[in-house]
Each structure stands twice: as structure tokens, then as C-alpha cells.
Amino acid sequence: MNPAATPLRLSTAQTDFEARFAARLHWSSETDHAIEQRVADILADVQRRGDAAVLEYTARFDGLQAASVAELELTQADFKAAFDALPAAQREALQAAAARVRRYHEAQKKANGEGWSYRDEDGTLLGQKVTPLDRVGIYVPGGKAAYPSSLIMNAVPAHVAGVPEIVMVVPTPVRGSVATGGSGAATAARGERNELVLAAAHVAGVTRAFTIGGAQAVAALAYGTATVPKVDKITGPGNAYVASAKKRVFGTVGIDMIAGPSEILVLADGSTPAEWVAMDLFSQAEHDELAQSILLCPDAAYIAAVQAAIDRLLPTMPRAAIIAKSLNDRGALIHTRSMEEACAISNRIAPEHLEVSSAEPHRWEPLLRHAGAIFLGAYTSESLGDYCAGPNHVLPTSGTARFSSPLGVYDFQKRSSLIEVSAAGAQSLGTVAAELAYGEGLQAHARAAELRLNDVPPMRGAR
Amino acid sequence: MNPAATPLRLSTAQTDFEARFAARLHWSSETDHAIEQRVADILADVQRRGDAAVLEYTARFDGLQAASVAELELTQADFKAAFDALPAAQREALQAAAARVRRYHEAQKKANGEGWSYRDEDGTLLGQKVTPLDRVGIYVPGGKAAYPSSLIMNAVPAHVAGVPEIVMVVPTPVRGSVATGGSGAATAARGERNELVLAAAHVAGVTRAFTIGGAQAVAALAYGTATVPKVDKITGPGNAYVASAKKRVFGTVGIDMIAGPSEILVLADGSTPAEWVAMDLFSQAEHDELAQSILLCPDAAYIAAVQAAIDRLLPTMPRAAIIAKSLNDRGALIHTRSMEEACAISNRIAPEHLEVSSAEPHRWEPLLRHAGAIFLGAYTSESLGDYCAGPNHVLPTSGTARFSSPLGVYDFQKRSSLIEVSAAGAQSLGTVAAELAYGEGLQAHARAAELRLNDVPPMRGAR
């Protein structure tokens, strides 16, 4: 029997709309306490025992035995061989996607990622310099969520930023082994590699790579081992163990945002073919059962047309079961009073992906304050952005677009303030600084400013 | 007896230099497990019980009793009264500092904080829009580390970014009560307010403020209560409880970096008066006993002159005991082979504050890759930057300048990608996206792209 997908139907005119909508949106990001504790133990162990601990956990969790971590390193030749073995169409698609992503991030760097300075009238120089990170680590999940596009989206901005060393970790579990314990019989078995990921590493310019994963890989990157170099920042998606490990090493290294389930919100005015919108909702739902697809539309007939398209198209989809579960459990088709109201609701959700499927997208865009990425117009399917339009597909999820941004060149750069106070500037600034420093009871701060004055006053409160 | 301050003397020519220097730099950021657990409990309790929990913890930890959280709210009139009551010199200094900090951050916003876009040949639009956060929370410590300058440095960039609502929390413990338990006899007592902080709130434009602190204040801001509004991001320094709470709510809200002890590194070529450099080292050391002051210099005679200046000046300092303890335990005067070597060592440390106390600072600046703020030339004392030069004094500590940046306008903004694919663009992009999506086994992604093609191909792998 084919599964059916019937997303929750709501209308903002319903008196219980708020409560029902809130219930549908609810998702808890609480980390399991047991996972937290295991991750803390793994991190501490890798920090203490380095390579030996990494090898043990890789054998236990991935069923992958090796005599040394060096044996788990992939080479540039591995990347190139994987790339060369691909069908021409895939090779060209990978290169085309990487080129467009590179161009977009180069424009981003030029617009927002360069240093600046100005001089005061008295010659004092103020500004910021921008420098790339020295070395970054990219986590690439193994198994069902192994996405070469994700590697491109992480590695290319790092490259554009000027990061000289990009270290990838990607688990290659031995088939049949599971995360709760490796098979002792797996000795010398080769882990399962994703050739598209290796090919993407060739295209995206990964410097080094290790076939390790989980909290142990995060620990190796954060603390460094004899074999795995310590990085300055770790980006990339992963399971609950990886997310917990990244959160825990935050501060020792930088991390990107911790991602929740993926979401799409479609604002539709009814002008886009209903099948296109239905397929856009599917494209989010097919990720996993927790993914969330929501349609907001002021046209009830159009909502019915989208539901009909869902019914028609779902049976053709290879991932129909996942799509149906996601749409049934977390999806919603919401009838709004107006497009303006739809925009206001969207701002409350702060969706990861926001499609403005409208004949006049630029009318609504200025009303949209919080979103990871905004897809304007009927032709802009989210999937074009996921792979090759140019912008990054690593986006803030679960409402975190209220305070965070797409992954970008800026995530692989950092800034240093530049200050050069002239002799003249030190006279005016010194008086202000000293006044405030004495007020805070920090006399050495005050005195350091006063010593630079042409007429050094007596120290206040000297012993 | 006056305390003596004798920072560790090292030379890079010593065979055991690396080990001795590493030992001096060592500082553990490990959070105490007991603190972590208490903080987790407080956060969960405030999330569950809201205002009632905030009131209980405020009574218990700050000795401050109130019938409602509303009673703990400060008003704009409180800020203005505090400002008006200050001596004119302090009022003017606060205003001058805020004006300079505002000017710098306006330049920063103009240089790096605005949106951009471009169009492909086929009319496809790509870019980013930049929007301010809706509401931010600023934590201001009470007690000995209550710094009005810190409030200015947090609130002004938020203002410049365009954040409409800035909520301050500042504990006002009742004198005699301590963090491990409030005094039951303190009922109706008024907590100890820092009038300079309230005056700074007036100057910096704080929207609302509550006299609460600790993990309970962080929880109130992160989750919201009936009285305290939920914010999108929390910035500002605090003690171990506050730091642990911020780290734990990261993801629910944004946070700034978790700060470690403050540090200064001075690269000196011997051309700056030795007393100026000695006082700059003091200005860091006076913060607290864990603060770190390090001098790197290729001129042994100059190092001796700085030590002599330390000996001469220390007895005059009101905070001599803290300065001496900090310099003795954590300070270092290091003789290097050259200024180039000093720059290389500085890059390894990635100091929060880096003074290039040299007659030719622009010769060395290009060699310096990692630092929170770089102070160029003899007149640029760190303290001028701390208060009023313009750049932010909230800077990455403990080597985190390797991957993070000074607090800035960008911390109070977020970006949304903009994508508008033209009908023509959908043809070329759709083919690439579909190829990669099929490769990843995400057929709905592929199909969403293919449906936009003028000639829709048959679906691969349809059921």
C-alpha cells in the first residue's frame, strides 16, 4: 500500500490556531544526558591518550581496525582516483557546483570580509584587520547522510577565506557494524567509503583527511593527537554524539552552529504550479522524519491544489515512506488571511529555508526579517540553492536564524582591532580614559594613560 | 611590607625555554563539574517556574528579597538620576567614550555590516541581506568587576547594529550576603547598586534592566519569564556560574565568546619609556591574580630597565598586592633573539591585547596574525583602548583570537542569503542540481529542480 501524506491543515482564523501551530512547531533540542556523559568521557580520553584512544573508539564504534591512525589517513591520490572514476556528468556537476559556490563566496569576501581603517583629525589610526584561520576541521558524516554537497559548502568558503589547511574527518564504518559496538571479526576489513565525498574532497581542495568519526574525531581535531593536527575551528554536521562533542569543545576551538532538523517554509500566493510547491515540500521532508515542511497561503483553493499534487506525486517517490511520515507528523498547510500575515508568521518561525513562491517576491522580501536563506520567485526551488546556485546550504535551523547566519567566508576569518594613537591623540584620550579608570578603581589603567600626557598629573589615591 | 613583583625571566636561547614558557602560559578553562550541575538545575528550574524561580534564587544568592520580578526592574528615571548625580568630569568622560565607541562601530558597520547582491548574466540574483537582532540581553557583573565601560562596549555596537531592544541584567547583592547563600534578615534591604553602571546605561541607551544576576538571570533572558522578555542573544562577562549558564543556553540563544582571564603581550624594541611599559603590564595585572602580563623584547638592558621601573612604581599602586601576585605567578619578561622571533611567539599565544611598543610598529604589524586588538606605537596604551579609543574592549582571550574576533556590530546582526533564480537560470542550474541530488539519493530534490526545466525529463528511479 502506498503511504499517504496529509499535512495538518490549519487556518489562522481558527480560535485555537496559536496552540495547534505551537504544538506542531515544537521540537526539543535537549541533549540526552547519557550521551552527554559518554561524549565527555570520550573527549577526556582522547585528550589524554591521543591516537591510541582514537584507534580504540574507531574499532569499537565503526568496526574499523587499524594499527595506527596514519593508516586511516586518506591521500590526495585517493581523492583524485574517486573523482576520475565518476561518470562524466557527475564530475562536471561537482565542478560546476563548486565553481558557482566559489564565485558567490568570493563576492561575499569582497563585500564584507576585508579590513578597513580610518584616521582621526589628530592622526590616530583606527580599524580592523581580517585574517584567515590557520587550520580548520570539517566533519563529514558517514552512512545515510553522506553528502558531497555538504563538503563543498564547508570547504569552499574556508578556501576563499584563505585558510591554508583544511582537515576532513569522515567515518567509514565497516558494513554490518553499528554505532553501539564494532564487530571483533572486522579486522583488516576496509570501511565503507563514499566515493562522491572523496571526489568532492578533490574538487573542494581538502588538505588532509582521516576516516574517523563520532566524538573521537571531534576530540582529535580539537585537541590534536600525534597524527591528527589540532585545528582552530570545526564545522560540519553530525549525529547527536558529534553535536554534543562540538558543543563541549566550543571555546577550545571555534565551532559552527549546532544544527537541528531541516525545515522549509513556503509562502505562496497561488501563482506557482502546485506540483512545484508540492515537490519543494517533499524535498525537505525526504531528509528525515523530523524534517519540517510548512506552506502558508491566503488562497484556500491553492492549498487544496497542493494537497492534490501531494497525493498524485507521492506514490512516484522512492523515499515516499520518509516523506509521508515527515509530512504527517510535522508538516502543515496553513491558510492565512493575507500574504502580510504569512510574512509575520514566517518571522516568528525564523525558518532555515524560506521560499517566497509569489509572482511579486520583491513585494514581500522587505517584510521578512528572520530566515537562513530566502528563495525568491517560482523558479527558485530550494534544491537549486542546496546544490549549486552559489549561496551556502549550511543554514541556521530551529529558529536560530533569529541570531545566526549562513555559513560563510566570515566563519573562516577573524578580526583584530588596530589602534595607533598619535602623540596628540594620547592627550585627549588620556584624560577621558583616566577619568573612567579612576571611577572603576583601576588606577594602573588610569596611570598608563596619564603617563602619556605632556603634563603628567599627580596620581590619585597613590599609596 | 610592600609586595615585590618579579615576573619570571626567560630567554628564548635557553634550552628549556619551550617547556618553561608553556608552563607559564598554562591555564585550564575546565568548568567545575559541580558548578555545571548546579547551573543545569537552575536553568531547568527557571525554564519551568519562571519568575518564581528567579525571585527565589535572587533572595538566596544575592540576599535580595522582592515580592515580584517587576519590583526588581530599573527604570529610565533610575538611569538618568544616576547620570545626573555624577561629577561633571565623569559625565563628560562617559559621553566622550560612548561617542568615540559609536563612531568606530558606525565605521565598522559601513565597512563590513551591510547587504550586497549581484546578478548573473541570465538574470539570477544572489546576495545577502543583513538585519539586526530583535532583542539582546547584556549581562553586567555586580560587585568588584562592575565596569560601566563594559556596558558601553556591549550596548553601543548593539545600538549601532539597529537592535531595537537592549535588556540589561545586573545583580545588586545586599551587602554582607554572599553567593553561597543570602541572609534571611535582608528582607526589604536594597541591593548595592553601582551608580556608574546605571549612568552608563543612560548614556549607552539600555531599554530595560533588572537587578538579577547569576545563572538565574541568564536563564530568564534565554527562556523568558512572565516579566523578563526572552532575548535572541546574550553578551557580557560574568563569573563561572554565568559562563557555564551561557555555554549551556547556546543554541537556544546566541552568546558571545566565553572569556578567560585577561592578558597583555607587549612586544618592545626598547624605544618606549620603560615606565610606560611597566605601567601597561600593571594595568593588566591589576584586574585579578589570574591576569597575565608578558613582555617580549630583544634588548636585555631594556628588560632590566622595565624590571627596575616595576620595582620603583609598584609601591605607589593602590592595587599593589593583586599586581604583585599576578606578575609573580603568571607574568614573564622574555628576552628574544629578535623582534621577528617575538612576533612569531606572539602568533602562537594569540593574545587578547597586543602592544607593539616600537618606533616602527608598521614594520611588525604585518607579521602579527592572531590577536584580539593590536596597539601600535608607544602612545597607544592598552588602557586608551579599554575606555575610549573607539574599538571594542570585549576581545577573545586565552588564545581564542586564533578563531574569534572582537565584539562588534556583526555580533548584533545576522545575515540571510538571497536567491532569485531566473527562468533561464533554472535551466542550467536545474541540470547540475538534479545530477548531484540523484547522486546523493535525494530524488525529491532532483525532481524539484527538474520540474522547472522547459523539457522535463523522466524521473530516475521512480517507483
Side-chain angles (χ1 to χ4, degrees):
Chain A
M1 198 189 87
N2 280 318
T6 316
L8 181 65
R9 288 283 270 278
L10 294 175
S11 163
T12 54
Q14 293 162 328
T15 50
D16 60 350
F17 169 75
E18 289 294 336
R20 295 183 67 196
F21 187 45
R24 176 101 323 196
L25 289 176
H26 181 74
W27 173 76
S28 168
S29 66
E30 292 300 301
T31 311
D32 183 277
H33 185 71
I35 290 181
E36 273 192 3
Q37 194 48 57
R38 281 178 75 181
V39 164
D41 293 345
I42 293 170
L43 293 183
D45 196 23
V46 172
Q47 190 172 17
R48 197 171 53 241
R49 297 195 300 126
D51 281 347
V54 171
L55 283 174
E56 281 178 29
Y57 291 114
T58 302
R60 192 190 310 169
F61 298 137
D62 294 338
L64 185 61
Q65 307 275 348
S68 68
V69 174
E71 276 184 22
L72 299 177
E73 183 161 5
L74 297 169
T75 66
Q76 298 293 329
D78 292 328
F79 301 160
K80 180 149 194 315
F83 179 77
D84 289 342
L86 290 184
Q90 280 194 336
R91 281 205 306 272
E92 285 157 22
L94 272 181
Q95 286 179 314
R100 284 194 63 95
V101 171
R102 191 171 298 119
R103 184 181 169 199
Y104 176 86
H105 287 85
E106 280 166 357
Q108 183 180 66
K109 181 183 184 185
K110 198 168 156 150
N112 295 138
E114 295 183 352
W116 54 275
S117 66
Y118 63 91
R119 276 191 195 274
D120 279 349
E121 307 69 35
D122 62 19
T124 293
L125 171 91
L126 300 163
Q128 276 193 319
K129 81 173 183 178
V130 179
T131 38
L133 273 58
D134 279 356
R135 190 188 287 135
V136 303
I138 297 179
Y139 191 96
V140 179
K144 67 170 178 169
Y147 297 142
S149 57
S150 177
L151 177 55
I152 288 174
M153 293 292 181
N154 278 273
V156 169
H159 247 292
V160 171
V163 175
E165 228 179 307
I166 299 171
V167 183
M168 172 173 91
V169 291
V170 55
T172 58
V174 173
R175 195 187 287 274
S177 75
V178 288
T180 49
S183 146
T187 311
R190 186 179 118 152
E192 203 174 338
R193 296 181 186 177
N194 182 316
E195 297 300 321
L196 265 174
V197 165
L198 268 57
H202 174 72
V203 171
V206 166
T207 318
R208 299 180 69 181
F210 298 89
T211 57
I212 58 178
Q216 59 274 20
V218 173
L221 291 172
Y223 306 124
T225 71
T227 310
V228 180
K230 173 175 167 46
V231 302
D232 298 309
K233 185 163 188 167
I234 301 173
T235 69
N239 62 18
Y241 289 85
V242 172
S244 172
K246 280 170 64 185
K247 199 164 171 176
R248 199 166 270 272
V249 298
F250 170 57
T252 301
V253 296
I255 61 168
D256 58 349
M257 189 52 53
I258 304 290
S262 197
E263 333 131 40
I264 192 172
L265 193 80
V266 181
L267 305 187
D269 63 8
S271 62
T272 304
E275 291 207 339
W276 297 12
V277 165
M279 194 59 75
D280 293 349
L281 298 174
F282 285 4
S283 74
Q284 202 53 237
E286 76 174 339
H287 273 297
D288 63 69
E289 294 162 356
L290 283 174
Q292 185 154 53
S293 302
I294 294 175
L295 173 68
L296 295 172
C297 177
D299 178 346
Y302 185 76
I303 292 177
V306 170
Q307 178 64 60
I310 289 173
D311 297 341
R312 200 159 57 241
L313 292 169
L314 185 66
T316 69
M317 303 308 298
R319 296 167 75 87
I322 294 172
I323 293 170
K325 175 110 173 102
S326 161
L327 290 180
N328 289 329
D329 290 359
R330 305 212 68 220
L333 308 179
I334 302 174
H335 184 220
T336 59
R337 294 182 180 85
S338 63
M339 283 294 282
E340 284 82 356
E341 186 185 51
C343 291
I345 291 174
S346 172
N347 282 332
R348 278 166 46 196
I349 298 174
E352 181 189 11
H353 304 98
L354 173 55
E355 282 189 9
V356 186
S357 213
S358 159
E360 35 185 11
H362 291 280
R363 179 171 165 196
W364 311 119
E365 185 273 317
L367 303 186
L368 301 166
R369 288 202 321 283
H370 310 303
I374 303 175
F375 301 79
L376 299 163
Y379 280 97
T380 315
S381 72
E382 186 209 307
S383 67
L384 298 181
D386 286 343
Y387 289 105
C388 59
N392 211 290
H393 80 194
V394 181
L395 298 168
T397 60
S398 310
T400 58
R402 293 185 67 82
F403 55 85
S404 53
S405 302
L407 192 71
V409 170
Y410 35 74
D411 287 298
F412 299 103
Q413 297 174 316
K414 71 301 194 284
R415 297 162 190 279
S416 303
S417 306
L418 290 176
I419 318 178
E420 182 180 28
V421 177
S422 66
Q427 307 309 307
S428 54
L429 293 178
T431 310
V432 172
E435 185 65 37
L436 294 172
Y438 281 126
E440 292 184 352
L442 295 176
Q443 298 88 356
H445 282 68
R447 205 61 189 155
E450 287 181 340
L451 288 179
R452 268 96 169 170
L453 296 177
N454 293 334
D455 296 310
V456 179
M459 181 170 169
R460 301 190 210 169
R463 306 205 319 171
Chain B
M1 197 188 87
N2 278 316
T6 316
L8 182 65
R9 289 283 269 277
L10 294 173
S11 162
T12 55
Q14 292 162 329
T15 51
D16 61 350
F17 169 74
E18 289 295 335
R20 295 183 67 197
F21 187 43
R24 176 102 322 195
L25 288 177
H26 181 74
W27 173 75
S28 170
S29 65
E30 293 300 303
T31 312
D32 183 280
H33 184 72
I35 289 180
E36 275 193 1
Q37 196 47 57
R38 282 179 74 181
V39 165
D41 293 344
I42 293 170
L43 293 183
D45 195 24
V46 172
Q47 190 171 16
R48 197 171 53 242
R49 296 196 300 125
D51 280 347
V54 171
L55 283 174
E56 280 178 31
Y57 291 114
T58 301
R60 191 188 311 168
F61 298 137
D62 294 338
L64 186 61
Q65 309 273 351
S68 70
V69 175
E71 276 185 22
L72 299 176
E73 185 162 3
L74 298 170
T75 65
Q76 299 292 331
D78 292 328
F79 302 160
K80 179 145 195 315
F83 179 77
D84 290 342
L86 290 184
Q90 281 193 336
R91 281 205 306 271
E92 284 157 23
L94 273 181
Q95 285 179 315
R100 285 194 64 95
V101 171
R102 191 171 297 123
R103 183 179 171 199
Y104 177 87
H105 288 85
E106 279 166 357
Q108 183 180 67
K109 181 183 183 186
K110 196 167 164 163
N112 296 138
E114 296 183 351
W116 53 275
S117 66
Y118 63 91
R119 277 192 194 272
D120 280 351
E121 307 68 34
D122 62 20
T124 292
L125 172 91
L126 300 163
Q128 276 192 321
K129 81 172 182 179
V130 179
T131 37
L133 275 58
D134 279 355
R135 191 188 288 134
V136 303
I138 298 179
Y139 190 96
V140 179
K144 66 169 179 170
Y147 297 142
S149 56
S150 177
L151 176 55
I152 289 174
M153 293 293 181
N154 278 272
V156 169
H159 246 292
V160 171
V163 175
E165 225 180 308
I166 300 172
V167 183
M168 171 172 94
V169 291
V170 54
T172 56
V174 173
R175 196 187 287 274
S177 75
V178 289
T180 49
S183 145
T187 314
R190 187 179 119 151
E192 204 172 340
R193 297 182 184 176
N194 182 316
E195 297 300 321
L196 265 174
V197 165
L198 268 57
H202 174 71
V203 171
V206 166
T207 319
R208 299 181 68 180
F210 297 89
T211 58
I212 59 177
Q216 59 275 18
V218 173
L221 291 171
Y223 306 123
T225 71
T227 310
V228 180
K230 173 174 167 43
V231 302
D232 297 310
K233 185 163 187 166
I234 301 173
T235 70
N239 64 17
Y241 288 85
V242 172
S244 174
K246 280 171 62 183
K247 200 165 170 173
R248 201 165 269 271
V249 297
F250 170 58
T252 301
V253 295
I255 62 167
D256 58 349
M257 189 50 55
I258 303 291
S262 196
E263 332 131 40
I264 191 172
L265 194 79
V266 181
L267 305 186
D269 63 7
S271 62
T272 303
E275 291 207 338
W276 296 13
V277 165
M279 195 59 74
D280 292 350
L281 298 173
F282 286 2
S283 74
Q284 201 53 238
E286 77 174 336
H287 274 296
D288 63 71
E289 293 162 358
L290 283 174
Q292 185 154 54
S293 304
I294 295 175
L295 172 69
L296 294 171
C297 177
D299 178 345
Y302 185 75
I303 292 177
V306 170
Q307 178 64 61
I310 289 173
D311 297 340
R312 203 161 54 241
L313 293 168
L314 184 66
T316 68
M317 304 308 299
R319 296 168 75 90
I322 293 171
I323 293 170
K325 175 108 172 105
S326 162
L327 291 180
N328 289 329
D329 290 358
R330 304 211 68 220
L333 308 179
I334 303 175
H335 183 221
T336 60
R337 294 181 182 85
S338 63
M339 283 294 283
E340 285 83 355
E341 186 184 50
C343 290
I345 291 173
S346 172
N347 282 332
R348 279 166 45 199
I349 298 175
E352 181 189 11
H353 304 99
L354 173 53
E355 280 189 10
V356 186
S357 212
S358 160
E360 32 183 18
H362 291 279
R363 179 170 167 198
W364 311 119
E365 185 272 316
L367 304 185
L368 300 167
R369 289 206 315 287
H370 310 302
I374 304 176
F375 300 80
L376 299 164
Y379 279 96
T380 316
S381 72
E382 187 210 306
S383 66
L384 297 181
D386 286 342
Y387 290 104
C388 57
N392 211 288
H393 82 193
V394 181
L395 298 168
T397 61
S398 310
T400 58
R402 293 186 67 82
F403 56 83
S404 53
S405 302
L407 192 71
V409 171
Y410 35 76
D411 287 297
F412 299 102
Q413 297 174 317
K414 70 303 193 280
R415 297 161 189 281
S416 304
S417 306
L418 290 176
I419 318 178
E420 181 180 28
V421 178
S422 66
Q427 307 308 307
S428 54
L429 291 178
T431 311
V432 172
E435 185 65 37
L436 294 172
Y438 281 126
E440 293 184 351
L442 296 175
Q443 298 89 354
H445 282 68
R447 204 61 189 157
E450 286 181 341
L451 288 179
R452 268 98 171 169
L453 296 177
N454 293 334
D455 297 311
V456 179
M459 182 169 169
R460 302 189 209 170
R463 306 203 321 171

